[in-house]
Amino acid sequence: MMQRWNRKKPHFPILILLFILFIVFTILYNELNIRQINEDPDPVSRNQRASITYVKPNLAKRASEVLDRFSTCNSTREYSWRRIGWVDPSPNLGRGRVDGESCDVFSGKWVFDNRSHPLYSESECPYMSDQLACHKHGRADLLYQYWRWQPHDCNLKRWNVKEMWEKLRGKRLMFVGDSLNRGQWISMVCLLQSVIPADKRSMSPNAELTIFRAEEYNATVEFLWAPLLVESNSDDPVNHKLADRIIRPDSVTRHSSQWEHADILVFNSYLWWRQGPVKLLWSDEENGACEELDGLGAMELAMGAWADWVASKVDPQKKRVFFVTMSPTHLW
């Protein structure tokens, strides 16, 4: 007796149709978004833009209470869309070229050089911190010490420690930022300290501002702990790991009072803004009420306050300012 098999019809045509509809919908949705961005490149809605108020940063009159690790917010509300109305820099405040510079030293690549590098040994530098002493703590691969920066269109002069000291004679070179910039500072100190007699050099105790001094050259190489550049409750160089990060987004005045007289400034700030939302305590807030904003938005405000200081206070004929954009963490 023959049995009749009931075969189910395949669902492939339906699946293919659904897939095609999904692709078409995705393309149309993306086209609509692109059109909206082209018509209105500012992602802030019209209603939000209407409510934006611009705050002049770094005013002398500011909140009397200094933020520290014990500071708290009495309450937290939504971000009010206040923005930093920083001073536009005049055209001559750009980086430009150094007199006599024949190429852009910032455009280049890293090349392996086992002839002139490494420039110093960590074991021979008495100021090397345990946090940064890779070889001391078991790193077997030492090839990282042999990489040298090579600009595309010129050659950098070979490192000459005494020539560097002559350039720094009577000057203050200061690194400002977080522990990544502190690593840059330690490296610079290790590069420079070898030609200074032990009784002619000194290092101040670790603090918010740490100073290496060379008496013969009347020069200092300094590091200022200011991980968010603006005033924050994380400004303690040791005890700064807090659950809630609070900043004054409109004020660098507390830190700038220490860095404003340096001749060469190297700033950095990046990784700390990636660790969750940030609470904003504006300088004119009298009730301790904070606003909350994501890290990227808070960084934009802080960089506006920093840029205002650079634009309004820096004479490029007398002071040189650098900003380190991004770099990996210590752990990688």
Side-chain angles (χ1 to χ4, degrees):
M1 182 176 177
M2 295 181 66
Q3 291 182 344
R4 188 173 181 179
W5 297 90
N6 291 324
R7 287 190 171 183
K8 294 183 178 181
K9 293 183 179 180
H11 296 309
F12 292 116
I14 298 176
L15 293 174
I16 292 173
L17 179 61
L18 291 173
F19 180 72
I20 292 174
L21 289 174
F22 172 75
I23 295 296
V24 171
F25 175 79
T26 302
I27 292 174
L28 291 175
Y29 178 77
N30 289 335
E31 286 290 337
L32 179 62
N33 282 342
I34 292 172
R35 184 176 300 174
Q36 289 177 344
I37 291 172
N38 289 333
E39 292 175 355
D40 188 3
D42 189 345
V44 181
S45 70
R46 288 189 176 89
N47 291 334
Q48 288 170 335
R49 282 203 300 272
S51 64
I52 287 176
T53 57
Y54 286 91
V55 177
K56 177 68 179 72
N58 305 318
L59 295 177
K61 184 180 180 181
R62 53 185 294 273
S64 57
E65 181 185 357
V66 175
L67 284 179
D68 58 29
R69 62 193 179 96
F70 302 107
S71 299
T72 58
C73 298
N74 291 337
S75 60
T76 302
R77 57 176 180 251
E78 292 184 1
Y79 174 47
S80 62
W81 292 101
R82 278 188 276 186
R83 296 289 185 89
I84 299 298
W86 60 284
V87 176
D88 291 329
S90 59
N92 65 341
L93 288 182
R95 187 184 81 202
R97 292 185 182 273
V98 180
D99 291 341
E101 184 180 308
S102 59
C103 75
D104 184 359
V105 296
F106 297 93
S107 176
K109 62 181 180 180
W110 292 98
V111 297
F112 190 79
D113 180 356
N114 59 0
R115 292 188 176 183
S116 63
H117 283 57
L119 296 176
Y120 71 87
S121 170
E122 70 174 40
S123 62
E124 296 175 357
C125 179
Y127 307 107
M128 175 59 66
S129 70
D130 286 345
Q131 183 185 27
L132 304 175
C134 301
H135 184 50
K136 176 182 177 181
H137 289 282
R139 177 167 177 167
D141 167 30
L142 298 179
L143 295 180
Y144 68 92
Q145 301 178 90
Y146 296 95
W147 290 90
R148 171 177 57 80
W149 180 251
Q150 176 62 56
H152 289 308
D153 300 319
C154 64
N155 292 317
L156 293 175
K157 295 180 64 177
R158 181 178 172 84
W159 171 261
N160 185 305
V161 62
K162 291 190 175 182
E163 185 175 339
M164 181 66 175
W165 274 121
E166 287 299 334
K167 292 181 180 295
L168 291 176
R169 184 181 290 276
K171 292 184 173 60
R172 295 175 63 188
L173 165 60
M174 184 184 294
F175 294 80
V176 180
D178 58 24
S179 54
L180 295 175
N181 234 15
R182 182 164 55 199
Q184 299 295 318
W185 166 71
I186 281 289
S187 290
M188 181 61 76
V189 170
C190 289
L191 283 167
L192 291 169
Q193 60 84 32
S194 61
V195 297
I196 308 297
D199 61 342
K200 299 294 183 180
R201 67 189 186 209
S202 63
M203 178 76 82
S204 68
N206 288 332
E208 183 178 1
L209 179 62
T210 310
I211 303 172
F212 174 81
R213 184 181 305 278
E215 293 182 17
E216 178 182 352
Y217 293 92
N218 187 30
T220 59
V221 183
E222 310 174 30
F223 172 71
L224 176 66
W225 174 262
L228 300 160
L229 298 185
V230 292
E231 183 181 344
S232 78
N233 64 341
S234 297
D235 290 337
D236 188 304
V238 178
N239 299 306
H240 47 248
K241 294 183 179 180
L242 305 170
D244 286 329
R245 186 151 297 141
I246 306 172
I247 67 169
R248 291 201 191 280
D250 56 341
S251 179
V252 299
T253 52
R254 177 169 176 261
H255 297 312
S256 65
S257 64
Q258 299 194 71
W259 78 48
E260 64 183 348
H261 298 299
D263 301 281
I264 306 167
L265 285 161
V266 183
F267 293 93
N268 92 303
S269 186
Y270 171 64
L271 289 173
W272 283 56
W273 299 104
R274 299 180 60 194
Q275 301 175 10
V278 179
K279 288 183 168 57
L280 316 176
L281 183 59
W282 297 88
S283 296
D284 61 357
E285 178 58 57
E286 297 179 354
N287 300 317
C290 296
E291 298 174 355
E292 190 168 271
L293 186 59
D294 63 275
L296 183 61
M299 182 180 183
E300 181 181 355
L301 293 174
M303 291 305 299
W306 174 82
D308 171 85
W309 184 88
V310 173
S312 59
K313 301 294 185 181
V314 172
D315 181 348
Q317 301 301 319
K318 299 178 180 179
K319 194 184 299 287
R320 198 59 61 86
V321 175
F322 300 91
F323 188 87
V324 182
T325 51
M326 295 166 60
S327 57
T329 68
H330 303 297
L331 306 179
W332 293 359

